[in-house]
Amino acid sequence: MKLWYFTEQQYHPAWDLSDGPIRNIPPSSLIDRDVCADLFDRYYEEFAWMEELGIDIAVNEHHSTFQSMVPTTFLHVAALARVTKKSRLLSLGSPLGQRPDPLRLAEEIGVADMMSRGRIEVGFIKSVPWEYFNSNANPARLMDRFWEANDFVIKALSTRDGPFSWHGEYFDYRNVNIIPPPYQQPHPPMWMTGQSTGSAKAIAQRRYVAVCVMSGPHVAGPFFSAYREQYEKTHGAAPSLDRLAYSSYLAVGNNEDEARIRAQRVHKWVEMLSSQHLGFQHAAGYATPTDFARMLTAGKLGHAGAATPTIDELRAKHTMFWGTPDQVVDQIKNFYRAVGGFGQLLTQMGGYATKADTFDSMKLMVKEVLPQLQDLHRTL
Amino acid sequence: MFSKPLPDTLKVRDAVIEYARLGSGPPLLYLHGCDGVEVDDPFVSLLARHFEVVALSLPGFGSSDLPPSLRCMDDLAHFGIELVDALGIRDCILVGSSFGGWLAAEMATKRTGRFSALVLAAPLGARFTKDPADIELRDIFILPHKEYPYIFINDRKKADAAFAGSDFPSMQEGAALRYCRNREAMVLFGWSPLLVNRGLKDRLHMIDVPTLVLWGDGDKVASLDYGQNYSALIPGAEFEIVADSGHYIPLESPAIFVDAINAFTVRASFTRARHGAAR
């Protein structure tokens, strides 16, 4: 099992200052510049610690929100390329449907991969509906644009024999020539997030790593299964376990009381997930009209959403692994068997978890949890 | 507005378009606002007392197909002209409300000779201010579903009737899907730049048919000033304020809407006849 430490680099000090949502509309004046700069120092100390532990590092991006201070992953991937030496660096990911200029994205990937001597992994994501209000990218026909951008970036990264032109439905370039190209040939390993069996199939056809994010086995099981089936159909062989990844919240303690306190701190972020202005809740076009109508008729839009699950409920759903090292091993093993196995685990902390919580949890993961997961594939 | 499908269909460029044709009199083509049209909308039967009314669901709206070849308002305007031909309407009165008013204005600027008169009820599509930070048109895409209807229709009872109370779980089958298709089509054509085609303002002077611009005095999407600016750029256009009405004039003030069209078309036909005699 390959372990990634994943952080959103949140600006949690403002969560209690905003008397409304933490996304889209709260003013940036709620950010104290020194506190903010200190937080970046802390996050980079955490990254250095992860490298010392031998853990790989994943970053994501969000926009106009105190959920994350990363408006483009490659700002941080490039910084990490210089302050780390060994860790692999995963961008998870770039919201392809929102980037108006995939050429610029390919250029950013090329530079970051070269600077890191080939330690970059690249994820593409659909993103969330409320961020289309910030990027202004048109949510209609978003997935058509997404796949064209994907095809374009792959060609741009892979082409080494001079310029090519691209005259697509959504993107038009007369002279594409990525300099520097990525260090890895023909391009860095690719990842994509998804939830549905349809997206699993599309990801499998491209041999990308498929990531299921905080979804539990009832979603991840069919998702992984559809991936395996399509992969074998398309490529004539079963995918290796490292093609499948799962992302969960995490809190590990030396005893259950300590773990519970840490889990509650991480949970503060889960409470913030529904901190949403209702006007930004859904952008028509983001989901198909059929899915949009299904949400409306099921009464899922127009209100703040269901109550936040407790840490015990999250543990039961396998969306947060938390407890002592042995408890976490059991939880991961149970989940692993329920979904038919996977090869990469991304663990997210954040929320009100302190630097010490983060350091110690991840140390326990590496020293006590991970060794017990290495032969998991034999249990399938 | 969006609850029931329209009864008939026709094909244009392989796209199936739903429509209704009712009443008798001079032909009138109605282009709906952001949320579609249905035969039970009260203004439709009122119009049908005076005109042969064709009301349709534009591509992507209601149950009408949305061909991939339609990417923007210019594409839609050309498609709209093909639609007029496919419907076999000659010399018709072109009437549009809100988004449909925008489309009607676009079609009329092309001087195709297909229209005898133009009625624009709170049309969108132009931007007049020079300050990029000015908010001229309300962002109809940033609205909670429960507040959405009252931006378009001020009278809450009429708004609830038009939007079926926004009670999606209780709506009749297919209504929620039609609502969602309407919203998606609006996003395709109006998301960015927000409800504007940058070229339209400088083409409005090309409109060469008698034009009436109606504006509700309580419009929450675009102000009276906006309406006056719009009207001023269309040669000879008449501008009428509709009292106690919001943005969807046909839905909020159906009788005034129909009377205004009726009176205007009579005036316009006299004018045309006079011009014809002078020639």
Side-chain angles (χ1 to χ4, degrees):
Chain A
M1 180 70 70
K2 184 175 170 65
L3 180 65
W4 298 81
Y5 172 67
F6 167 58
T7 175
E8 299 195 289
Q9 302 184 66
Q10 297 169 335
Y11 189 79
H12 54 77
W15 294 352
D16 288 337
L17 298 179
S18 171
D19 55 5
I22 63 159
R23 302 189 180 97
N24 297 106
I25 56 171
S28 61
S29 58
L30 293 179
I31 288 193
D32 179 306
R33 62 184 184 178
D34 293 314
V35 172
C36 186
D38 287 348
L39 269 176
F40 277 124
D41 287 346
R42 173 193 150 178
Y43 294 140
Y44 274 78
E45 282 178 52
E46 290 174 2
F47 291 141
W49 176 243
M50 300 310 153
E51 177 161 73
E52 208 173 310
L53 289 171
I55 302 174
D56 295 318
I57 298 165
V59 295
N60 71 340
E61 70 177 64
H62 280 292
H63 303 264
S64 192
T65 170
F66 298 138
Q67 172 179 359
S68 162
M69 296 193 290
V70 186
T72 169
T73 55
F74 284 98
L75 271 178
H76 284 284
V77 169
L80 282 163
R82 301 310 301 167
V83 300
T84 59
K85 296 287 178 218
K86 298 172 297 190
S87 291
R88 290 198 67 79
L89 307 170
L90 168 61
S91 156
L92 191 67
S94 297
L96 278 190
Q98 290 197 47
R99 292 281 303 234
D101 186 354
L103 173 69
R104 181 63 63 88
L105 175 62
E107 290 177 327
E108 291 169 12
I109 294 168
V111 171
D113 199 47
M114 195 61 83
M115 284 170 68
S116 70
R117 292 183 186 273
R119 288 184 288 123
I120 305 301
E121 310 213 0
V122 177
F124 292 151
I125 59 168
K126 186 181 175 187
S127 184
V128 283
W130 45 88
E131 295 189 359
Y132 284 78
F133 294 94
N134 304 313
S135 67
N136 238 28
N138 198 319
R141 297 179 176 166
L142 132 74
M143 289 314 291
D144 294 342
R145 206 168 59 241
F146 178 99
W147 287 116
E148 186 184 324
N150 169 80
D151 296 347
F152 170 79
V153 171
I154 293 296
K155 185 171 171 64
L157 293 175
S158 310
T159 300
R160 298 289 196 282
D161 54 356
F164 68 92
S165 60
W166 183 277
H167 303 293
E169 172 70 21
Y170 297 98
F171 303 106
D172 192 78
Y173 298 107
R174 58 168 47 82
N175 194 70
V176 182
N177 198 15
I178 304 299
I179 295 178
Y183 188 91
Q184 297 172 90
Q185 308 248 351
H187 56 73
M190 304 300 297
W191 294 52
M192 210 169 264
T193 52
Q195 301 269 333
S196 68
T197 53
S199 59
K201 288 176 186 173
I203 302 168
Q205 284 166 346
R206 291 164 175 83
R207 283 201 168 97
Y208 293 178
V209 178
V211 202
C212 215
V213 178
M214 280 109 183
S215 57
H218 67 291
V219 173
F223 178 79
F224 289 165
S225 177
Y227 182 97
R228 287 189 204 95
E229 196 178 303
Q230 184 65 51
Y231 191 100
E232 190 147 7
K233 201 186 281 179
T234 308
H235 307 297
S240 54
L241 280 171
D242 70 358
R243 295 296 86 192
L244 299 172
Y246 185 64
S247 174
S248 71
Y249 298 111
L250 179 84
V252 194
N254 292 287
N255 54 63
E256 190 160 0
D257 288 343
E258 186 178 61
R260 181 173 288 277
I261 290 167
R262 289 177 180 169
Q264 284 293 4
R265 289 178 181 154
V266 173
H267 185 263
K268 184 66 187 175
W269 162 241
V270 185
E271 289 173 27
M272 286 295 144
L273 277 170
S274 61
S275 177
Q276 182 69 52
H277 183 285
L278 295 181
F280 294 83
Q281 198 175 31
H282 186 74
Y286 177 83
T288 64
T290 306
D291 287 342
F292 183 13
R294 202 175 288 136
M295 286 186 267
L296 283 174
T297 49
K300 286 187 178 168
L301 294 174
H303 52 78
T308 307
T310 65
I311 56 169
D312 292 302
E313 289 166 337
L314 291 176
R315 180 155 74 172
K317 289 179 177 178
H318 299 283
T319 54
M320 184 191 284
F321 298 127
W322 71 267
T324 63
D326 286 347
Q327 287 175 320
V328 169
V329 167
D330 284 346
Q331 291 159 33
I332 294 174
K333 278 184 175 172
N334 288 338
F335 176 77
Y336 187 93
R337 286 190 206 104
V339 300
F342 59 99
Q344 311 209 47
L345 177 64
L346 287 80
T347 54
Q348 179 180 352
M349 293 192 65
Y352 281 2
T354 64
K355 185 168 72 177
D357 292 337
T358 310
F359 273 42
D360 199 46
S361 279
M362 295 311 291
K363 188 178 82 180
L364 290 167
M365 275 300 283
V366 170
K367 306 286 183 203
E368 299 192 32
V369 175
L370 214 48
Q372 298 185 62
L373 301 179
Q374 292 316 312
D375 291 330
L376 263 185
H377 59 281
R378 293 185 210 284
T379 66
L380 287 174
Chain B
M1 233 177 345
F2 54 81
S3 293
K4 292 179 189 162
L6 299 171
D8 299 312
T9 58
L10 81 164
K11 235 178 185 186
V12 180
R13 278 195 224 169
D14 290 333
V16 176
I17 301 296
E18 62 172 14
Y19 74 101
R21 196 189 292 257
L22 62 166
S24 58
L28 182 152
L29 174 62
Y30 176 76
L31 304 178
H32 58 73
C34 311
D35 296 284
V37 63
E38 64 180 75
V39 172
D40 289 348
D41 288 336
F43 74 91
V44 176
S45 53
L46 291 178
L47 273 177
R49 290 182 192 169
H50 309 280
F51 304 98
E52 182 195 357
V53 179
V54 175
L56 49 81
S57 290
L58 291 165
F61 291 80
S63 308
S64 291
D65 289 342
L66 178 59
S69 59
L70 300 189
R71 303 169 182 86
C72 61
M73 177 49 89
D74 282 329
D75 291 340
L76 185 61
H78 285 94
F79 189 90
I81 290 162
E82 279 187 65
L83 250 174
V84 172
D85 290 347
L87 285 161
I89 318 174
R90 297 271 178 274
D91 207 27
C92 78
I93 302 154
L94 183 60
V95 180
S97 162
S98 177
F99 175 73
W102 172 8
L103 174 60
E106 297 270 8
M107 288 164 66
T109 60
K110 299 184 193 307
R111 291 191 175 176
T112 63
R114 285 166 173 79
F115 310 116
S116 60
L118 178 67
V119 178
L120 306 174
L124 307 172
R127 185 168 171 87
F128 304 102
T129 175
K130 299 227 180 315
D131 181 351
D134 271 354
I135 295 174
E136 213 169 33
L137 294 173
R138 183 165 196 137
D139 193 338
I140 61 167
F141 301 109
I142 305 181
L143 283 171
H145 295 293
K146 288 203 185 312
E147 293 170 28
Y148 181 80
Y150 311 118
I151 299 304
F152 296 92
I153 302 175
N154 295 344
D155 183 305
R156 292 182 82 86
K157 268 193 185 162
K158 287 178 182 169
D160 288 341
F163 284 86
S166 299
D167 184 7
F168 296 100
S170 309
M171 278 181 196
Q172 67 180 77
E173 201 183 340
L177 179 59
R178 295 169 64 80
Y179 172 84
C180 292
R181 294 194 81 237
N182 294 346
R183 296 296 302 273
E184 181 176 76
M186 279 308 301
V187 163
L188 177 67
F189 295 114
W191 178 263
S192 178
L194 178 60
L195 300 171
V196 162
N197 183 356
R198 289 193 175 106
L200 177 61
K201 185 186 75 172
D202 298 316
R203 289 198 296 266
L204 285 175
H205 71 276
M206 295 287 287
I207 294 175
D208 62 351
V209 293
T211 301
L212 170 67
V213 179
L214 299 171
W215 222 271
D217 63 356
D219 194 317
K220 292 180 189 155
V221 176
S223 69
L224 271 177
D225 284 350
Y226 179 90
Q228 278 158 343
N229 286 333
Y230 209 112
S231 181
L233 290 177
I234 301 172
E238 296 183 21
F239 184 76
E240 276 185 35
I241 296 171
V242 180
D244 303 321
S245 187
H247 184 66
Y248 282 167
I249 298 168
L251 278 301
E252 184 138 27
S253 308
I256 297 173
F257 174 67
V258 172
D259 287 349
I261 294 172
N262 212 11
F264 172 69
T265 51
V266 170
R267 284 200 300 279
S269 61
F270 274 130
T271 309
R272 289 208 310 166
R274 240 191 354 254
H275 284 179
R279 267 185 228 122

